[in-house]
Amino acid sequence: MGLTRYLGLVLLPILVWSLGGAWIEGFTRSHFQRDLSLDSKHPEITIPQHTTDAASPTHTSSATLPSNNATADIFAEVNSNASWRYKNSLNSTHYMLYHTHAPPQHTVEPFTFGFLTTMARTEGKMRLKKPVTVTVIGGSVSAAYCKEPGVGCWVTPVTEWLLQENPQVQIGNSAIGGITSSTAAQCFDAMVNPESDLVLIEFSLNDRFIPPKQQIEGFEQLLRRLLKLPHQPAVVVVHWWSPVHDCSESQQVPNANSLSPGTLPCIQQLWNTTEDHIQRLVHHYNVHSVSFRNSFWPEIDAEADGFTPDMLFMRDQIHPSGRGVDLLGGLIIEYLQQALRKALAQGFQAKPEENTPVPAPLFVSASDDAKASQCNRGGALQDMALYSYGWTWLDGKKPGYQTDQILTSLFLSVPMDSVTSDQISVGYLSSYENMGIARVSCLGACQCAEFDIDASSKAHASQEHNVLIPFQHAKDSKGCILKVDNMNLTNAVNQGHRFKISSVVVAEREAATVVP
């Protein structure tokens, strides 16, 4: 009797734990697979047809950002509507804003048709079945899920359509999960094929989680470098949309703490997001754009079948679900079809040497616009490692040198081929959990002040951020060493100490070599 009772007391918890664990694993797997599925159960996807007869509207540009006025009582107004199932919500780090009316003066453009001469080059090659080079740059919406078996992203249906139209098309997907337009601008030569005929850019989501000034300047630098390419490709900006917005300190309006209850304290609102800031650059530089938000807003706002958050997004309310992927991919295909037809119909016969002058910058300074960069990431970053204690190289969606241990050191040999180098940009993973603080210092032939980098972020996102470190040369310009020490310091809510270095960029006042 005693033995039976003893075995029962020992074996029963194990049995319960096993069955419970199996149930949780099965539940998690089924819901995760549901989020990632290509949605064969969803109703047939219909892309709204957009007119192409009207001429593109005339737009004006100004070198100031949109007003940061708060919108009062936006939560009370929306959440009192009993017919809406999805409400607006706000917490200390981010908010979900799903319903609000567009301002009367706001131009809702599903498609923006820019300079058609560059698009005409692509159209001619597509029609004649000549080789066409397409480059994709962006974040995880364009990259992460494209690289896993059985899971697609919008690049997949667009690639399939392009190859059906012209088997000579070559697609280069340089998108990397977590990066912003600033990273892409710094690592431009390593990410963009200079012979590209068509470049698709997707950064409206990732740029949302960085300070406004960095948003607009990074994207403008990226556009200017694309338009300065000798081949001058057609540039299409892809705007993905999410109801989740950042409400960290860098995105709050002045005196946000003194606002009355029900007031939205954040700079970014539903119709004043990174997409709207980027559109000012789209019009100024006369490039093309596709907007998911503007194309499907009537259906989204009405909570029509297939356009609710549980249908459009994965569980993070940020990345597209299978249905979201199909809708975005179909929208881009429709846009390309219309743009290529417009270029042909209007009789453009562009030649590669017929380049147009790049307009003057709106936000980027003349000195920053003239700088080149030597970007080291991936294999080039691995080659820089002289010695590491407690740091490990990790591949995957966000590769880099990582440590979870305090008081560990990484020594990187910084290649400098020119004495005009005056800044080092360190790319690191910033996230809302587990991240610690590292100290960067310079040794050898370069000198810089010690600099502490806090990788913990209040924004609900995990992405690559960059910090610029000015330095001075010693007599010999070679032999510069960057030392990264993971400190026994952290601001993470869970007291984590993780730190990851993803890139090192040497900024130069004159032309420099970029290491792929």
Side-chain angles (χ1 to χ4, degrees):
M1 186 69 177
L3 179 61
T4 302
R5 180 177 299 174
Y6 173 77
L7 291 175
L9 291 173
V10 172
L11 296 177
L12 183 59
I14 296 175
L15 178 62
V16 172
W17 178 85
S18 300
L19 292 175
W23 181 86
I24 292 172
E25 181 183 2
F27 176 84
T28 303
R29 182 184 294 115
S30 65
H31 278 253
F32 185 70
Q33 289 175 343
R34 182 202 67 183
D35 286 343
L36 295 184
S37 68
L38 293 182
D39 295 335
S40 59
K41 297 180 182 179
H42 293 320
E44 182 179 353
I45 295 171
T46 302
I47 306 295
Q49 298 299 310
H50 307 287
T51 178
T52 61
D53 296 331
S56 299
T58 301
H59 303 277
T60 59
S61 298
S62 173
T64 57
L65 289 172
S67 172
N68 295 334
N69 294 331
T71 303
D73 300 323
I74 192 167
F75 294 106
E77 173 190 355
V78 169
N79 295 344
S80 63
N81 189 326
S83 64
W84 279 329
R85 291 178 292 160
Y86 296 90
K87 309 299 185 181
N88 296 342
S89 60
L90 171 70
N91 62 27
S92 60
T93 59
H94 65 284
Y95 63 96
M96 189 175 101
L97 192 58
Y98 204 73
H99 294 288
T100 185
H101 300 297
Q105 71 277 12
H106 194 284
T107 303
V108 181
E109 300 172 297
F111 294 162
T112 302
F113 296 97
F115 189 55
L116 289 175
T117 300
T118 55
M119 189 64 74
R121 299 170 187 159
T122 302
E123 188 281 327
K125 290 184 176 182
M126 290 289 291
R127 179 165 37 88
L128 298 175
K129 302 297 187 288
K130 292 183 177 181
V132 174
T133 300
V134 180
T135 297
V136 177
I137 47 179
S140 57
V141 171
S142 304
Y145 308 111
C146 284
K147 298 176 181 178
E148 295 181 2
V151 180
C153 70
W154 65 266
V155 180
T156 303
V158 172
T159 297
E160 292 172 352
W161 174 77
L162 286 168
L163 291 174
Q164 287 175 0
E165 296 294 311
N166 180 6
Q168 297 293 321
V169 171
Q170 295 180 338
I171 311 289
N173 189 351
S174 298
I176 301 172
I179 70 169
T180 64
S181 59
S182 294
T183 301
Q186 290 179 345
C187 295
F188 182 84
D189 289 353
M191 300 181 72
V192 178
N193 186 336
E195 298 300 318
S196 296
D197 299 289
L198 174 65
V199 178
L200 300 159
I201 313 173
E202 174 271 312
F203 283 113
S204 302
L205 190 66
N206 280 11
D207 280 7
R208 184 183 292 184
F209 297 101
I210 59 178
K213 184 175 185 293
Q214 188 178 352
Q215 290 175 15
I216 205 75
E217 289 183 355
F219 205 94
E220 183 171 31
Q221 283 182 328
L222 178 58
L223 281 182
R224 293 185 64 80
R225 294 190 177 186
L226 284 169
L227 297 178
K228 288 179 179 180
L229 287 174
H231 200 54
Q232 215 167 41
V235 177
V236 179
V237 177
V238 176
H239 295 302
W240 172 244
W241 173 81
S242 163
V244 175
H245 299 258
D246 180 24
C247 197
S248 61
E249 293 179 1
S250 66
Q251 299 288 357
Q252 290 186 359
V253 298
N255 303 318
N257 293 331
S258 63
L259 297 177
S260 60
T263 300
L264 187 64
C266 301
I267 292 173
Q268 298 202 35
Q269 303 169 20
L270 191 59
W271 298 98
N272 181 22
T273 67
T274 305
E275 171 178 340
D276 301 294
H277 302 171
I278 290 174
Q279 275 299 104
R280 302 183 62 220
L281 296 174
V282 167
H283 297 310
H284 178 71
Y285 290 101
N286 207 15
V287 296
H288 312 267
S289 71
V290 180
S291 171
F292 185 91
R293 180 196 65 184
N294 294 352
S295 296
F296 295 116
W297 180 247
E299 293 87 349
I300 293 171
D301 190 46
E303 297 186 357
D305 290 343
F307 289 89
T308 52
D310 60 318
M311 300 294 282
L312 293 179
F313 307 102
M314 296 179 68
R315 285 176 296 174
D316 61 7
Q317 301 291 315
I318 293 176
H319 294 94
S321 65
R323 174 170 172 78
V325 164
D326 289 343
L327 284 168
L328 181 58
L331 194 68
I332 295 168
I333 292 170
E334 185 201 350
Y335 176 82
L336 292 174
Q337 289 172 333
Q338 291 195 22
L340 294 174
R341 285 199 299 266
K342 285 174 72 72
L344 178 63
Q346 296 189 20
F348 286 100
Q349 299 294 329
K351 297 179 181 179
E353 63 270 16
E354 291 180 350
N355 290 343
T356 56
V358 179
L362 283 177
F363 302 99
V364 177
S365 66
S367 59
D368 286 340
D369 189 42
K371 279 187 176 181
S373 300
Q374 179 175 337
C375 176
N376 302 275
R377 59 185 311 122
L381 181 59
Q382 288 180 275
D383 292 340
M384 290 175 58
L386 290 175
Y387 174 76
S388 65
Y389 171 70
W391 293 70
T392 305
W393 177 264
L394 295 178
D395 289 313
K397 298 175 184 177
K398 299 172 183 176
Y401 278 106
Q402 177 174 304
T403 183
D404 289 276
Q405 305 173 34
I406 61 173
L407 306 179
T408 54
S409 299
L410 175 66
F411 293 82
L412 300 171
S413 175
V414 181
M416 293 186 180
D417 299 327
S418 172
V419 295
T420 61
S421 305
D422 60 0
Q423 287 181 331
I424 297 176
S425 174
V426 177
Y428 63 96
L429 178 65
S430 176
S431 186
Y432 51 95
E433 57 183 0
N434 298 322
M435 309 307 291
I437 298 174
R439 177 165 297 166
V440 178
S441 56
C442 299
L443 306 174
C446 55
Q447 301 173 354
C448 64
E450 289 186 343
F451 194 93
D452 287 355
I453 303 175
D454 186 356
S456 180
S457 172
K458 292 183 179 180
H460 199 73
S462 297
Q463 59 183 178
E464 181 176 327
H465 285 194
N466 303 88
V467 60
L468 282 174
I469 302 175
F471 69 92
Q472 294 179 337
H473 290 275
K475 294 181 179 179
D476 182 5
S477 64
K478 298 183 181 298
C480 178
I481 298 174
L482 200 66
K483 183 187 179 189
V484 185
D485 295 310
N486 200 27
M487 310 299 290
N488 188 15
L489 299 170
T490 183
N491 287 319
V493 292
N494 59 354
Q495 299 298 301
H497 291 278
R498 176 173 300 166
F499 205 91
K500 177 182 279 189
I501 298 290
S502 51
S503 67
V504 173
V505 178
V506 181
E508 304 195 4
R509 295 187 297 273
E510 297 175 358
T513 303
V514 176
V515 181

